[in-house]
Amino acid sequence: MSPTPIAVRKRTRAPRLARALALATAAVLALSACASNAPQAGAGGADAEQVVRWAVTQPFATWDPIVAGSTASTRFLTPIYESLTSIDETGALAPGLAESWEYNDAGDAVTFHLRPNQTFHDGTAVDAAAIAAFIERAKTQANSALAGDYATIDTVTVDDDLTLTVHLTQVDYQIPYLLSVRGALITSAEAGAADPDRLNVSEPIGAGPFKVVELVPESRIVLEKFDDYWDADNIHIDRIEIEFGIDGSTIVKSLQTGVYNFAFIEAKAVKEAQDAALDVWFGDEYAWFVNFLSININKEPFTDPAVVEAIKHAIDRDELVDKVTLGHGKAVDQPFPPGYIAYDEESEDVWDYDPAKAADILSDAGYEPGDVSVSLSISAENPSAEIIQEQLGEIGIEVTIDIDPNWRVGYFGKGTALALYGYFGRDSHVQALTANYDRDGVLNLSSPYVSEEFTTALRRIRETPLDSPDYARLLREATRAGVATSPTVHLYTVPAFYAKSPEVSDLPTIQGQLSWKGVTVGG
């Protein structure tokens, strides 16, 4: 089988605002002229091509799931890649590339059975050896964002072409959840072995419902339906065209005029989109971001625990919710929204807002106002940064805001002292905790720091079967240990906001995911 080559184009530097306005204007003229009776993509009719035209405000350039550190990025990756297991609309585990799995009696090994006759977009086989190669690359590749999550995976044995066994360093009943969606979006073994950088930047190759036919780095990607996908009968969309770096102020108008029919929007655009009769949906049941202040206790001035404690009491989360999320968010002290299974009510307000107490902590430690100065690292303009700058200034800490386009290098390399970041949940409850609080957690800026209390709680929950009556309680105890001992300051959760044209049917409600199964355009 000879795969169709991906058209890779250089990114153009034309202003995206001007382009979006020009397209919107052209769409208005086309609509008013009504000069053609030819069927339009997604406009209905038996032979109409079903096309999703998707607008995204931020650029995106990381196409290897092993390298992508952000769970939010899986919304762009899941059309291309299929995971080993999956999650259904109830939050339960579901088959993916693997149709079944089972643990051994000891709970320290799990065997997966793959569907037969699956292929990657490059025509190579989705077999046990390919899955084993992916896991090995995730564990060992220098820039892997999954290495910490795979901490309890020891080795993988290929039992036959369609069977593999994952051997663990300890009992861990979370592995099937870990290997769903973000944790195991399986890449072509041949592409990963030949040139992982090329796979990441210009030629992503998976076994998902859509294959890449065009890619302009950081700007545009075009996907077409992959007919050999195992669940192709549930994929009705023919093409997905994603445009990145679109000016947020133009998106609602562009959705109205048909330039796009699907988009992520900001909180400030929700009312405008609703008034424009677009379909707008958001809520914790779909997806939520948790925003937090990452502190590196290996860097000055945070080597002094008093400075860390003072900051925790200096943050007014309610002000951030009101001003940044326009009331759509929720103030939290932990990496989950209220109602989530791992949310610990006992940890609510454990770091209460008390600037007088924060100032006293610094004074008792011998600091005068202005003695402590820090640089707050962010990747782009962020209103939260200025609010935090002002709040810390009120207790005598001077904050300089550093906007660094290469922010991720310092953050994921653990070289940054203070940073604002957010994350988009995790498929495994325990993976969410380890990412934030464990020794090699991708979101633990103070790595390799981890508390004994959290390590003990983490081991207990990993050793607990998911159907145990103690599972939820032990999960909350692990959250409590992380909140109490981690230097990270969680700020608020905010839902992801989506808007679409009514011509696009409703998407399945799966927490943290965008699934295109069953979705139609214009039908």
Side-chain angles (χ1 to χ4, degrees), residues 310 313-316 319 323 353-360 362 368-370 372 386-399:
H313 288 291
I315 301 299
D316 182 357
E319 182 181 7
K323 293 182 177 179
Y353 173 56
D354 191 338
K357 180 179 181 178
D360 287 344
L362 290 177
E368 296 290 336
V372 179
E386 294 182 0
I387 295 172
I388 290 172
Q389 180 185 47
E390 182 177 344
Q391 291 178 356
L392 296 186
E394 291 176 0
I395 67 167
I397 295 179
E398 296 181 355
V399 177

Side-chain angles (χ1 to χ4, degrees), residues 35-36 138 162 212 245 265 310 329 354 369 474 509:
S36 174
L162 299 178
V212 180
I265 60 174
D354 191 338
L474 292 173
T509 307

